[in-house]
């Protein structure tokens, strides 16, 4: 049995979505980043974290890769060209797509108030987000997923970010990318997480 | 024979350092990000990229993981707790350590001039960098490297960032972290890359 630390309303939703895709049992313990409880669950104090037996795992992308390798789902074996490209695409998603959104969140409510500069930085964030979406469209190609026919961990994080961007009023994607984001978010796995979010 | 796309003065230096650690032959082709040549070398147009046989690989962290798995060096086998922690630590380094520096670089010379807001954003970047260094110290523990006795891909990227931060006048680390950064940068692999940088 896995324990997910963090609520379905945070980036822990990616881990819950992954566990739903893999159809393995889990429990959720809601802890807040930076608290003593979070520092027990995660070496960095960041949330989400996952408990797998004796191991406490931090960072959502690393947790997804761990689960994918362990259960042989939503990834490709190490040593294949597909695995290498998946890692590249996943890093693009967590760097280029995620950072504009996360930076906006930090300047909205995470950083100490005197360090926030949301208005000054927002034009750059919208610019970077739009550029990232254009590159995402190129990576997607004919789809239907970022790695072609197979739904992978990279689609979970890209799909999560697509919804986050909409909630933050970031520029909308072009139709093909918007269709892709809608397609991954229509999956049963996300629909279950989304119901948890609305019930929370 | 590998081909590295990007100069030793950029983040391609990480890939060159890795190849030096693995003692495998390579050639360097200097291309600039976003150019037609870069878009041929890398699906995202970002540099560095690596050509391995027929495969063009993008993203420095993904390139390092690919090379580590292929040559069985500077990593741990998939399925071990050490591999999972390495991925978490690596993601911390490329997210929490790298983003403040990269954001400062973007607001200095990468973004279109009218979108830059370096002065407004710098206090937050220094705050985030200092916080990341504190967490790095916790991850390092008794060291000597981030994964303990074994030098890994995470140390290459952390060591590269340590030098970049100094060049950008970011706040200096505490002594134990400063010693760690000096220790990894003293390795023959980085010393060779550094000589290339100075000669370029």
């Amino acid at each position: 049995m896995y324990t997910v630390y963090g609520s379905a309303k945070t980036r822990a939703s990616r881990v819950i979505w992954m566990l739903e895709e893999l159809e393995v049992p889990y429990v959720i313990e809601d802890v807040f980043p930076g608290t003593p409880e979070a520092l027990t669950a995660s070496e960095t104090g960041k949330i989400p974290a996952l408990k797998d037996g004796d191991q406490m795992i931090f960072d959502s992308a690393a947790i997804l890769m761990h689960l994918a390798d362990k259960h042989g789902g939503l990834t490709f074996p190490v040593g294949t060209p597909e695995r290498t490209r998946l890692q590249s695409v996943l890093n693009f998603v967590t760097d280029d797509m995620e950072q504009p959104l996360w930076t906006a969140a930090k300047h909205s409510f995470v950083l100490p108030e005197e360090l926030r500069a949301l208005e000054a930085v927002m034009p750059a964030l919208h610019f970077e987000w739009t550029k990232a979406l254009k590159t995402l469209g190129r990576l997607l190609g004919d789809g239907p997923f970022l790695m072609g026919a197979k739904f992978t961990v990279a689609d979970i994080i890209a799909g999560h970010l697509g919804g986050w961007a909409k909630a933050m009023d970031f520029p909308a994607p072009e139709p093909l990318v918007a269709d892709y984001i809608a397609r991954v978010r229509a999956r049963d796995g996300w629909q279950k997480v989304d119901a948890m979010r609305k019930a929370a």
Side-chain angles (χ1 to χ4, degrees), chain A:
Chain A
M1 176 76 87
Y2 295 106
T3 305
V4 181
Y5 296 88
S7 108
K9 292 200 151 192
T10 71
R11 283 181 277 192
S13 56
R14 301 165 175 182
V15 178
I16 304 170
W17 184 357
M18 180 73 184
L19 291 161
E20 289 289 342
E21 291 280 347
L22 294 171
E23 301 181 344
V24 293
Y26 60 91
V27 292
I28 298 171
E29 278 209 26
D30 194 1
V31 298
F32 288 90
T35 58
E37 293 75 23
L39 275 161
T40 304
S42 148
E43 285 185 85
T44 59
K46 292 180 80 180
I47 293 301
L50 181 77
K51 187 171 189 295
D52 178 5
D54 289 339
Q55 192 170 18
M56 305 297 279
I57 308 167
F58 65 93
D59 184 85
S60 63
I63 293 169
L64 265 53
M65 283 301 249
H66 169 86
L67 289 169
D69 280 325
K70 186 167 168 184
H71 294 279
L74 289 75
T75 189
F76 303 91
V78 166
T80 62
E82 290 79 11
R83 169 58 169 251
T84 294
R85 184 175 183 270
L86 173 59
Q87 186 72 62
S88 299
V89 169
L90 182 63
N91 292 358
F92 164 79
V93 169
T94 58
D95 290 344
D96 294 53
M97 280 186 74
E98 179 153 356
Q99 290 306 322
L101 304 179
W102 177 224
T103 302
K106 283 192 291 195
H107 283 277
S108 300
F109 58 84
V110 180
L111 285 165
E113 272 188 52
E114 67 276 16
L115 298 178
R116 296 180 199 167
L118 187 64
E119 272 186 51
V121 79
M122 196 57 106
L125 300 181
H126 280 189
F127 173 84
E128 291 176 345
W129 170 252
T130 303
K131 192 177 167 189
L133 285 183
K134 201 176 154 192
T135 305
L136 187 75
R138 199 160 62 232
L139 294 173
L140 182 61
D142 295 329
F145 301 115
L146 286 168
M147 290 301 300
K150 185 168 180 169
F151 180 80
T152 69
V153 293
D155 298 303
I156 286 190
I157 298 190
H160 172 256
L161 293 171
W164 192 9
K166 200 171 173 180
M168 292 181 85
D169 281 328
F170 265 57
E174 291 172 19
L176 282 177
V177 172
D179 287 352
Y180 158 72
I181 289 170
R183 184 158 59 246
V184 301
R185 291 172 71 87
R187 293 175 71 90
D188 287 350
W190 176 256
Q191 288 301 311
K192 282 190 191 167
V193 181
D194 204 34
M196 289 180 205
R197 291 159 70 91
K198 283 167 184 157

